[in-house]
Amino acid sequence: MNKKVIKRGLIPYAFLLVFFLVIMTLVNTMNTEVHELNYSKFMKEVESGEVKEITVTPHANASIYTISGKLKDYKSNETFTFSMPLTDETMVKILEAEKEANFTVKTAADASASPLLIFVINYLPTIILIGVTLYAINKVFGKQMDGNRSMDFGRSKARLSNGENKVTFKDVAGLDEEKEELEELIDFLKAPKKFQKMGARIPKGVLLVGPPGTGKTLLARAVAGEANVPFYFISGSDFVELFVGVGASRVRDMFKQAKQSAPCLIFIDEIDAVGRQRGTGLGGGHDEREQTLNQLLTEMDGFGANEGIIIIAATNRPDVLDPALLRPGRFDRQVTVNLPDAKGREEILGVHAKGKIFAPNITLANLAKRTVGFSGADLENLLNEAALLTVRRNKKAITMAEIDEAHDRVLMGPAKKSHKYTEKEKKTVAYHEAGHAVVGIKLEGANDVQKITIIPRGQAGGYNLMLPKEETYLSTKNELLQTISGLLAGRVAEEVMFNEVTTGASNDFEKATRIARAMVTEYGMSDLGPIQFEERQSNVFLGRDYNKAQNFSHEVAKQIDEEVSKIINKQYKVTEKIIKENMDLLKLIAETLLEYETITKEQIDYLVKHGKMPEEEKINDNPNIKEAKLEDLTIEDLQDIAKDEKIKGYEKLTKEELVEKLKQKMNKE
């Protein structure tokens, strides 16, 4: 730790310590009871032998003395005092009385002549007041008031990485193509003359674009770690302040610092906070943000040359950035950091799995297939949640039971086990979820059902995890239509079984309608032809939304609505036909759900093939038995299961005996 930081932190506490010592001294003085005497009374007390002790203290004026002391009948906190001219004659009387009355006489230096006391009385209170004031200001403003830097809002808030927790490309998984794009920057930072000799100009700015949690910040840190150069990092919101001009001043100061340590990297996270397009919105522009953006544009590619400084910025909203920021010469290279595919997810899981203990039957490849659409941050959170659940359940290793529960927590939130359905609601939810499963099984292009549960989570009464059978970048018209059928299947199953409908399918309708409208207005998959009527992304500025030009007439808008309605209604009939043709399968899955509440893809496949659940699933609800064969478990896990099953003397049995005992109990049940 920095010694200057330690000293600076101790100074306020030293002031406080001195302050409390002074207060305690004053309190002790106030508690002392002082009696005023005169010379004649004092001499009477001396002659009568009542004086216990006296102290003679001279004043700065040598002719005046203060005599203080105690009488024999005084309490511990009582004393007397008086001042008088002390002559030799008086002193002789006191000394003679001392010998006769047997009391002690002490002499003390003049307290008023002490430099320390003068300092304590005259200067120390002022110093303490100043110290307390400085400490309070330091706490409020977060800065030390050291002269030139006091109230200095224009200084850059960019922080220089000190090299701790260094990140390299080895710590970044699933982003192979993105790392290749950034290799040039590392080569330039290590050997800039090689590029300058060829006349090549390295990109001044690289914009990392992608959804949240995909590793944009981690990638920027890895570039700095690989290049081994100074790395300044700042958030876009750190530039914008209440006072106009402060942000621009901070930009200038940031580049001034960076020039002194070039070649170096500057990383601006969430640059859309300061780089939004200028002059947008109903209320006009934002003066402070626009001035800050103007200064940033000038520093990146203006009259001043900032050689050796490379800026990396990250955002998940590139559509809102000012076009001047994205032109060549500023952010002239964009690197898209997408959600990882199955291979990338497996690599990311491998990074976050370090230090965690997994059961033997768990493979990262299998986990990667079950986590379609997860970002790197989601995968890290998934494994962390699974580890926390494992500890709470007192297990020795992470099993699929914990991973499944963690998966559901990440997507939907914790299960609401205390929430009680009525029997009618429970049956309705079971048939609703079973309808999704039936269509997913019977339609080749529909999403594959991975898990079904009727335990409420989040805002959902039940939960049906449906994932694409294969990860593809393109979707055919038939696949989109069958996906809509899968989404409508829950409502259809309710209507077929109970001749009434509920509000439980609202989210399904939202997704189905969105797909159908995109087919008509974006993908050209309707009778209106291959025409794009609407943009894929919505405009984020209120002013744009009000002034947006309409690309089609009111007549075409009516036709769009009719086409969307036609797609939905047609697929509703297709779904209804599939459900009615497979009523036995629908009832089988629904009744199984009512009994077990949660079933997985493997159990669904077995159920479809054999008409019943696997035998071991009827034994008990122990997650260890469900997820692995007894022979594959450790003796500690077997003992935990035996304890739950109340098998007597289980701790004395061998592994083979425990397996045999548990199998016998399974057969009985």
Side-chain angles (χ1 to χ4, degrees):
M1 187 180 292
N2 195 333
K3 293 182 179 179
K4 291 184 179 179
V5 175
I6 296 175
K7 292 179 181 178
R8 185 174 59 187
L10 292 177
I11 288 174
Y13 299 102
F15 276 116
L16 290 176
L17 178 61
V18 174
F19 178 74
F20 283 121
L21 290 175
V22 172
I23 294 297
M24 291 176 64
T25 304
L26 292 175
V27 170
N28 291 333
T29 304
M30 292 172 64
N31 290 334
T32 302
E33 186 177 351
V34 181
H35 300 278
E36 293 289 339
L37 297 181
N38 53 33
Y39 174 72
S40 59
K41 189 174 182 181
F42 167 71
M43 291 307 297
K44 288 181 180 180
E45 296 290 352
V46 170
E47 292 172 357
S48 62
E50 294 297 321
V51 177
K52 184 178 180 182
E53 64 178 34
I54 65 172
T55 301
V56 181
T57 305
H59 284 201
N61 184 359
S63 62
I64 301 296
Y65 289 78
T66 297
I67 297 177
S68 60
K70 291 188 176 185
L71 302 181
K72 291 182 179 179
D73 59 347
Y74 278 5
K75 296 179 182 179
S76 60
N77 64 334
E78 288 184 294
T79 185
F80 68 80
T81 182
F82 67 95
S83 299
M84 60 171 285
L86 191 63
T87 63
D88 293 339
E89 182 181 352
T90 308
M91 193 65 191
V92 169
K93 291 181 180 180
I94 292 174
L95 293 175
E96 289 176 352
E98 175 191 10
K99 294 177 182 178
E100 295 176 1
N102 194 23
F103 63 85
T104 59
V105 178
K106 300 178 182 178
T107 59
D110 183 8
S112 62
S114 171
L116 179 61
L117 186 60
I118 294 173
F119 172 77
V120 169
I121 294 174
N122 296 327
Y123 300 106
L124 186 60
T126 304
I127 294 174
I128 291 174
L129 181 61
I130 294 173
V132 172
T133 304
L134 288 176
Y135 178 73
I137 293 175
N138 186 44
K139 279 291 184 183
V140 173
F141 291 97
K143 290 184 178 182
Q144 184 186 16
M145 305 295 291
D146 57 355
N148 293 333
R149 294 199 60 183
S150 62
M151 310 299 287
D152 189 0
F153 294 109
R155 295 298 297 269
S156 170
K157 289 189 176 183
R159 297 172 293 281
L160 178 62
S161 176
N162 55 11
E164 295 181 3
N165 302 321
K166 185 177 179 180
V167 177
T168 64
F169 278 165
K170 293 180 180 179
D171 303 307
V172 181
L175 299 173
D176 296 336
E177 292 80 7
E178 290 80 358
K179 287 191 285 189
E180 289 179 7
E181 282 286 320
L182 297 173
E183 286 284 356
E184 279 184 12
L185 302 182
I186 298 171
D187 292 340
F188 173 78
L189 291 169
K190 287 182 176 179
K193 293 182 180 179
K194 180 174 65 174
F195 292 85
Q196 294 168 356
K197 183 178 179 180
M198 188 58 64
R201 179 183 62 82
I202 201 70
K204 293 186 178 180
V206 177
L207 185 65
L208 302 178
V209 179
T214 50
K216 299 183 291 295
T217 303
L218 183 66
L219 198 58
R221 291 178 58 195
V223 171
E226 289 286 340
N228 197 25
V229 297
F231 177 63
Y232 293 90
F233 57 97
I234 190 172
S235 171
S237 59
D238 286 336
F239 291 112
V240 183
E241 279 287 355
L242 174 66
F243 306 107
V244 176
V246 173
S249 175
R250 288 180 177 173
V251 171
R252 287 191 295 270
D253 188 62
M254 179 179 70
F255 277 90
K256 180 181 177 181
Q257 294 180 34
K259 288 176 186 177
Q260 296 172 358
S261 52
C264 65
L265 276 173
I266 297 176
F267 175 62
I268 305 176
D269 199 10
E270 303 298 343
I271 194 173
D272 50 275
V274 69
R276 285 174 178 260
Q277 185 168 343
R278 293 165 288 184
T280 54
L282 288 178
H286 185 293
D287 286 342
E288 163 63 359
R289 189 179 66 233
E290 290 188 5
Q291 285 195 23
T292 306
L293 175 58
N294 291 339
Q295 186 63 44
L296 181 61
L297 295 174
T298 303
E299 293 288 347
M300 288 188 69
D301 187 25
F303 289 105
N306 292 312
E307 297 297 336
I309 300 175
I310 296 177
I311 299 179
I312 300 178
T315 181
N316 51 18
R317 295 304 310 270
D319 55 310
V320 306
L321 296 180
D322 194 280
L325 199 62
L326 303 177
R327 74 160 177 81
R330 288 177 179 140
F331 285 110
D332 40 13
R333 179 175 297 184
Q334 291 190 28
V335 177
T336 303
V337 186
N338 284 320
L339 293 171
D341 56 11
K343 180 176 177 293
R345 291 195 299 273
E346 184 177 353
E347 293 175 359
I348 294 171
L349 286 167
V351 172
H352 296 304
K354 293 177 182 178
K356 296 180 174 63
I357 304 172
F358 292 91
N361 62 325
I362 293 180
T363 62
L364 297 181
N366 186 32
L367 292 184
K369 293 178 182 178
R370 298 165 66 101
T371 50
V372 178
F374 275 46
S375 66
D378 292 331
L379 294 172
E380 189 275 336
N381 190 32
L382 171 69
L383 294 186
N384 185 61
E385 286 286 345
L388 293 174
L389 285 169
T390 303
V391 174
R392 285 165 56 186
R393 294 177 178 180
N394 296 318
K395 290 188 176 181
K396 302 292 192 303
I398 301 172
T399 66
M400 281 306 302
E402 284 72 50
I403 291 176
D404 277 340
E405 175 66 19
H407 184 278
D408 295 343
R409 280 170 175 261
V410 171
L411 289 181
M412 303 289 293
K416 298 181 179 178
K417 296 182 180 179
S418 61
H419 178 77
K420 299 298 181 184
Y421 282 125
T422 64
E423 287 301 319
K424 182 179 180 181
E425 284 178 328
K426 189 173 183 179
K427 194 172 183 179
T428 301
V429 172
Y431 274 94
H432 179 105
E433 303 300 340
H436 289 302
V438 169
V439 174
I441 292 168
K442 294 300 177 179
L443 285 181
E444 186 67 27
N447 288 340
D448 207 6
V449 179
Q450 299 290 325
K451 182 179 180 180
I452 313 174
T453 180
I454 57 174
I455 299 174
R457 285 184 182 272
Q459 300 296 322
Y463 171 46
N464 197 321
L465 177 61
M466 302 176 70
L467 299 176
K469 292 181 172 64
E470 292 181 353
E471 288 188 62
T472 59
Y473 290 98
L474 299 175
S475 297
T476 65
K477 180 179 179 180
N478 189 51
E479 288 172 346
L480 292 175
L481 292 173
Q482 293 187 5
T483 300
I484 293 174
S485 292
L487 292 168
L488 298 174
R491 165 60 69 85
V492 173
E494 292 178 21
E495 189 173 5
V496 170
M497 284 301 304
F498 307 108
N499 292 321
E500 61 179 355
V501 294
T502 68
T503 59
S506 60
N507 186 249
D508 297 331
F509 292 160
E510 179 185 350
K511 294 177 182 177
T513 305
R514 190 184 306 125
I515 294 173
R517 189 167 189 86
M519 291 176 64
V520 176
T521 61
E522 298 176 31
Y523 307 142
M525 295 179 178
S526 70
D527 293 340
L528 295 181
I531 304 172
Q532 187 180 51
F533 296 101
E534 294 177 351
E535 297 178 2
R536 182 176 180 81
Q537 57 206 23
S538 59
N539 293 311
V540 298
F541 297 119
L542 186 62
R544 284 188 187 175
D545 289 337
Y546 275 102
N547 299 314
K548 183 173 62 175
Q550 194 172 13
N551 295 328
F552 46 84
S553 65
H554 294 291
E555 181 65 28
V556 173
K558 180 182 178 182
Q559 293 176 11
I560 290 173
D561 293 338
E562 290 174 350
E563 287 294 321
V564 172
S565 179
K566 185 165 67 174
I567 290 173
I568 296 292
N569 291 330
K570 180 181 178 181
Q571 293 310 120
Y572 194 91
K573 293 179 180 178
V574 171
T575 306
E576 188 176 22
K577 180 181 179 183
I578 295 171
I579 293 292
K580 288 181 177 179
E581 290 176 351
N582 296 276
M583 288 297 293
D584 292 340
L585 180 59
L586 177 71
K587 293 178 180 178
L588 175 63
I589 295 176
E591 294 300 323
T592 305
L593 272 174
L594 289 171
E595 181 179 357
Y596 292 92
E597 291 189 334
T598 301
I599 54 178
T600 62
K601 174 175 169 41
E602 294 76 13
Q603 295 165 352
I604 294 171
D605 293 341
Y606 189 94
L607 191 65
V608 172
K609 187 175 181 180
H610 299 93
K612 61 179 182 178
M613 289 285 281
E615 290 296 327
E616 62 268 22
E617 297 301 332
K618 296 183 180 180
I619 300 163
N620 55 48
D621 294 329
N622 194 303
N624 283 330
I625 296 180
K626 287 184 179 182
E627 298 300 337
K629 294 181 180 179
L630 292 174
E631 290 82 356
D632 296 335
L633 300 177
T634 64
I635 188 169
E636 290 82 4
D637 288 337
L638 291 170
Q639 287 176 345
D640 289 340
I641 298 170
K643 182 180 179 181
D644 294 339
E645 298 297 326
K646 299 180 180 180
I647 296 177
K648 296 181 180 180
Y650 67 88
E651 62 273 3
K652 298 180 181 179
L653 300 177
T654 64
K655 181 177 179 179
E656 291 75 15
E657 291 171 339
L658 280 171
V659 171
E660 187 62 31
K661 285 280 186 182
L662 290 171
K663 285 184 176 180
Q664 290 175 5
K665 189 169 183 64
M666 293 175 188
N667 293 331
K668 288 180 181 179
E669 295 181 355

